[in-house]
Amino acid sequence: SQTIHQWPATLVQPVGSPLSLECTVEGTSNPNLYWYRQAAGRGLQLLFYSVGIGQISSEVPQNLSASRPQDRQFILSSKKLLLSDSGFYLCAWTPRGRGGGYTFGSGTRLTVV
Amino acid sequence: AQSVTQPDIHITVSEGASLELRCNYSYGATPYLFWYVQSPGQGLQLLLKYFSGDTLVQGIKGFEAEFKRSQSSFNLRKPSVHWSDAAEYFCAFSPGANNLFFGTGTRLTVIP
């Protein structure tokens, strides 16, 4: 069966520090991968999605970047965190092609102090 | 513009009462529709999804949703709410393979 792993679960980082959140999917190949952010009291916002290794689409210009070095690995990064980067980050995957359901990881709670 | 709206930010129901959470979408064609549930500090769990066919969709945990094209709605229902149903509920739609638009969520409180 397919599983999605996301870590760390919680993270407290100072302003200006770098960030690296990792997401991996097991039990499938060629998934579409996504990073979402959920700010306090708000809905989910799509940040990045990827349809293949090295292929990244950004939905919202901001302080973050994403990379997909391997087929089932998706990384969210920042060189210098801002206070506004605080939030709950969720990784998700869907099977390649239209019609797949989205499966989400358990999320990372990021607090920038 | 493509969007999904959940008009109710917060709903409180008594345990054992029925529940209906509203969801409306704006899209030129029939999208793929989803309902997710999120417990505090947790990821999202898929309750049910509609792609085509029967407009009444059965999901997990006793939930169901009905797609009404004429009203551009996909409301979530449960005949009898349990205290463990207290959570945040998100309606979402996908116009294609590479995007999923979420509503802002409805927080459900269940009182004894």
Side-chain angles (χ1 to χ4, degrees):
Chain A
S1 62
Q2 302 93 353
T3 55
I4 179 168
H5 303 280
Q6 194 179 335
W7 68 92
T10 60
L11 192 60
V12 179
Q13 293 284 94
V15 169
S17 65
L19 172 74
S20 181
L21 303 181
E22 189 161 346
C23 172
T24 60
V25 180
E26 296 178 358
T28 188
S29 57
N30 302 316
N32 292 337
L33 296 170
Y34 308 82
W35 278 110
Y36 282 85
R37 177 170 62 196
Q38 184 178 29
R42 302 181 65 180
L44 288 91
Q45 179 185 41
L46 177 64
L47 302 176
F48 301 95
Y49 70 88
S50 171
V51 299
I53 296 174
Q55 300 178 61
I56 309 295
S57 296
S58 174
E59 291 295 307
V60 182
Q62 55 201 314
N63 185 43
L64 302 169
S65 62
S67 62
R68 184 169 178 174
Q70 301 180 44
D71 180 47
R72 291 170 290 176
Q73 184 185 30
F74 204 25
I75 298 172
L76 183 69
S77 303
S78 174
K79 293 182 179 178
K80 290 186 177 182
L81 283 169
L82 306 173
L83 287 174
S84 57
D85 292 324
S86 293
F88 192 53
Y89 289 82
L90 289 158
C91 181
W93 76 274
T94 65
R96 184 62 55 85
R98 183 179 175 85
Y102 286 66
T103 303
F104 285 83
S106 55
T108 296
R109 173 72 59 193
L110 171 66
T111 303
V112 182
V113 297
Chain B
Q2 304 164 356
S3 67
V4 59
T5 303
Q6 292 179 251
D8 304 305
I9 297 173
H10 184 204
I11 285 182
T12 300
V13 299
S14 299
E15 191 168 15
S18 63
L19 171 71
E20 182 169 28
L21 302 182
R22 295 183 292 167
C23 173
N24 294 95
Y25 67 90
S26 176
Y27 183 60
T30 300
Y32 295 163
L33 295 161
F34 307 82
W35 274 101
Y36 285 87
V37 61
Q38 184 181 33
S39 297
Q42 300 297 311
L44 278 75
Q45 182 182 25
L46 179 66
L47 288 175
L48 47 80
K49 59 188 176 185
Y50 172 77
F51 288 172
S52 64
D54 193 346
T55 56
L56 185 62
V57 181
Q58 301 298 319
I60 62 172
K61 303 185 178 185
F63 286 93
E64 66 177 26
E66 186 172 11
F67 170 64
K68 292 185 177 180
R69 186 190 307 274
S70 61
Q71 299 178 19
S72 297
S73 69
F74 189 55
N75 294 348
L76 182 71
R77 302 193 295 248
K78 186 169 184 177
S80 178
V81 172
H82 188 261
W83 64 266
S84 60
D85 293 324
E88 187 98 18
Y89 290 81
F90 292 93
C91 181
F93 89 97
S94 175
N98 296 326
N99 209 341
L100 186 64
F101 294 92
F102 283 89
T104 51
T106 297
R107 184 162 59 93
L108 174 65
T109 298
V110 181
I111 57 177

